[in-house]
Amino acid sequence: MVERRLGEPKQRPESMADRIYARLKEQIFSFSLMPGDRFSESEVAQWMEASRTPVRDALYRLQQEGYVEVYFRSGWQVKPFDFKYFEDLYDVRIVLEEAAIRRLCDSLLRQAGPAIEELKATWLIDDDARLSDGQQVSALDERFHCLLVEACGNEEMAAIHRGISERMRIIRRLDFTKGPRIDATYNEHGAILRAVLKRRGEEALRLLKSHIEASKAEVRKITLHML
């Protein structure tokens, strides 16, 4: 059930809708609201201590983003998992990231720029400097892949990739619920980045594909277990 906080000050409808949207989205991402769960606008309004208008606005926003569905006269539902949908997103993501790595290895962009410097500062570090919190590493993992694409200099490619990353966030964070996967992510990201910096394109592509496939397999296993 969605967490309810008592005694919160009343807010104007716009900010209330934003708050409800953010809290519902977090509940979906954390699987407190499971795929297939059904609820009504009145129930959400009660949980959030809000009127139905901002609740409806938040739910329609989540519907546009593909997280919930509305059923005539029967309320709302968290969208059931569609593995084919996420497989398709993984495929598109790999294509974009492979194209970015090829551009990086064929150009001098790897030698300068804030994106590359941020990647080096985050991932090419000593073991004792690594983070261990799964949510923090999940955010850094998404940032790693987005920065790889941003670093190649194609803004449209980077925008498409960010949109795909947002839609995949709900399942990608499952990959960081276990310690070994966190360590593996640091090792694999470091290896990919070193290959890019040395312009070893084929090695970087092979490492990238292996890294994403391992993550995809782990997420699918955890998701099936949770469901």
Side-chain angles (χ1 to χ4, degrees):
M1 179 178 292
V2 178
E3 179 188 357
R4 186 170 62 119
R5 295 179 183 174
L6 298 175
E8 291 184 340
K10 291 187 180 295
Q11 303 178 37
R12 57 191 178 87
E14 294 81 6
S15 62
M16 179 66 78
D18 289 341
R19 183 172 68 89
I20 294 170
Y21 161 83
R23 288 179 62 189
L24 285 174
K25 193 170 186 178
E26 179 57 33
Q27 292 289 335
I28 293 170
F29 276 24
S30 66
F31 288 91
S32 296
L33 280 172
M34 294 290 289
D37 279 357
R38 291 201 174 201
F39 51 87
S40 68
E41 291 176 8
S42 296
E43 287 175 318
V44 177
Q46 182 178 1
W47 299 334
M48 300 291 181
E49 295 184 322
S51 67
R52 291 180 62 179
T53 298
V55 167
R56 188 177 301 114
D57 291 343
L59 288 171
Y60 278 131
R61 186 173 169 188
L62 289 167
Q63 181 190 33
Q64 290 175 344
E65 294 178 1
Y67 295 113
V68 299
E69 299 173 315
V70 62
Y71 292 89
F72 183 62
R73 291 183 178 175
S74 61
W76 294 81
Q77 181 183 44
V78 180
K79 234 179 168 180
F81 255 94
D82 182 349
F83 282 107
K84 175 62 167 60
Y85 169 74
F86 287 112
E87 293 279 346
D88 289 346
L89 291 180
Y90 268 112
D91 289 343
V92 177
R93 180 184 150 206
I94 289 175
V95 169
L96 291 172
E97 292 183 26
E98 286 181 338
I101 283 180
R102 288 191 180 93
R103 291 184 59 141
L104 286 171
C105 291
D106 290 342
S107 71
L108 298 178
L109 291 173
R110 64 179 182 84
Q111 295 180 348
I116 292 297
E117 292 306 314
E118 182 178 335
L119 287 170
K120 289 164 61 177
T122 303
W123 301 101
L124 302 184
I125 58 177
D126 295 333
D127 289 356
D128 58 3
R130 294 177 173 182
L131 300 176
S132 58
D133 180 83
Q135 287 194 8
Q136 288 181 306
V137 178
S138 174
L140 288 178
D141 170 70
E142 182 175 324
R143 181 75 174 154
F144 171 84
H145 292 277
C146 287
L147 283 174
L148 271 182
V149 179
E150 289 177 20
C152 79
N154 188 314
E155 294 182 2
E156 291 301 318
M157 185 187 298
I160 294 170
H161 185 272
R162 283 194 298 271
I164 291 173
S165 296
E166 161 72 17
R167 283 182 279 169
M168 295 180 67
R169 192 175 298 155
I170 187 173
I171 62 167
R172 283 178 62 185
R173 63 169 46 187
L174 292 175
D175 195 23
F176 300 95
T177 56
K178 299 180 180 178
R181 284 300 303 157
I182 293 175
D183 289 334
T185 296
Y186 271 100
N187 295 336
E188 292 164 10
H189 283 188
I192 294 167
L193 185 55
R194 289 186 184 94
V196 169
L197 293 172
K198 294 177 181 177
R199 287 190 173 188
R200 295 176 179 171
E202 292 306 314
E203 178 184 352
L205 291 171
R206 176 178 55 79
L207 291 169
L208 175 75
K209 188 169 184 179
S210 175
H211 166 66
I212 294 177
E213 289 295 336
S215 175
K216 180 168 64 172
E218 184 68 17
V219 165
R220 187 179 183 94
K221 181 174 67 177
I222 294 173
T223 304
L224 287 171
H225 175 73
M226 291 183 69
L227 296 179

